[in-house]
Amino acid sequence: MPTESPRTRAMNETRDRILDVALDVLGANPDAGMGEIASAASVVRRTVYGHFPSRLDLIRTLTERAVTEMTAVLTELAATDAAADAMWAEFIAHVWPVTHRYRVLLALRRGEYGAAIHSLLGPVDELLAELVRRGQDSDVFARHLPADILSQIAYGVVFTIADNDPSGPRAATITSLLMLGVPETRAITLAAGHPEDLRAPAT
């Protein structure tokens, strides 16, 4: 493989720093402009625009990073034979840092970039719906709503809690499981993260 040149490495490091800073800046103010992001990243606006020609390009790249991280976790969990509610709890535990880091996407999804973000989050939405459908088929999750809608409601709660209570995933895990129709005692047990609780609950 060709060795990355110092110039390319420096450009990639600058790009990554801009993305990391953008998350912090947009997390504090979703309406922040490219100038504010450039200032926070200690670069000039031209440098930001050199990597991201528009604010939409920046938002799309942030979304793509989030999707890559979340789909990796969901795909790995889908290959296990754990109960669906245990899989959901494991997903929240593993993806909590990602959810908290990218929580601004929920706010941006409601605005002018909603269509772009929605289309990029498609793979995550599909995997979450499949997980909920798996739980409904095994009578672990409620059936009062279609899987795709119920999964969005439950995961929306996780983003909301991440935006207001960054201390840890416990509250998000319990609340989202309750939204999915899991009994409170089971939800609390799963949120504790005991390995033996990966089994399906007794019927």
Side-chain angles (χ1 to χ4, degrees):
M1 292 180 61
T3 304
E4 185 179 62
S5 70
R7 182 174 183 274
T8 299
R9 182 165 58 251
M11 290 180 62
N12 289 337
E13 289 174 353
T14 298
R15 181 179 184 274
D16 289 341
R17 185 171 78 254
I18 291 170
L19 288 170
D20 290 338
V21 169
L23 277 176
D24 292 335
V25 172
L26 292 170
N29 175 20
D31 296 323
M34 299 289 265
E36 294 173 70
I37 293 170
S39 178
S42 300
V43 298
V44 297
R45 287 169 59 99
R46 183 174 59 191
T47 299
V48 175
Y49 280 110
H51 290 281
F52 308 102
S54 69
R55 194 167 183 270
L56 176 58
D57 289 313
L58 177 65
I59 301 301
R60 287 179 62 90
T61 303
L62 288 174
T63 306
E64 288 167 354
R65 278 181 33 167
V67 168
T68 297
E69 294 183 47
M70 287 190 282
T71 53
V73 175
L74 280 166
T75 301
E76 182 178 350
L77 287 172
T80 71
D81 59 357
D85 55 356
M87 286 174 58
W88 182 276
E90 283 291 294
F91 168 66
I92 301 303
H94 282 85
V95 86
W96 178 257
V98 180
T99 301
H100 184 252
R101 190 159 64 247
Y102 293 98
R103 65 195 185 281
V104 67
L105 294 178
L106 185 64
L108 294 172
R109 193 174 186 176
R110 301 192 190 104
E112 62 180 302
Y113 303 115
I117 293 174
H118 179 76
S119 64
L120 290 171
L121 286 174
V124 175
D125 293 341
E126 291 174 9
L127 287 168
L128 285 172
E130 181 56 36
L131 174 53
V132 171
R133 192 173 296 111
R134 177 172 170 174
Q136 290 177 329
D137 290 343
S138 58
D139 294 322
V140 172
F141 293 152
R143 298 171 177 269
H144 62 288
L145 288 172
D148 57 339
I149 297 175
L150 188 57
S151 62
Q152 289 303 302
I153 293 172
Y155 197 54
V157 166
V158 176
F159 266 106
T160 300
I161 293 176
D163 197 27
N164 292 279
D165 180 15
S167 59
R170 184 177 185 275
T173 301
I174 294 172
T175 305
S176 59
L177 284 170
L178 292 175
M179 298 291 291
L180 290 166
V182 176
E184 184 177 7
T185 53
R186 171 73 173 170
I188 292 172
T189 298
L190 289 170
H194 300 304
E196 63 269 21
D197 296 323
L198 293 178
R199 299 188 303 270
T203 55

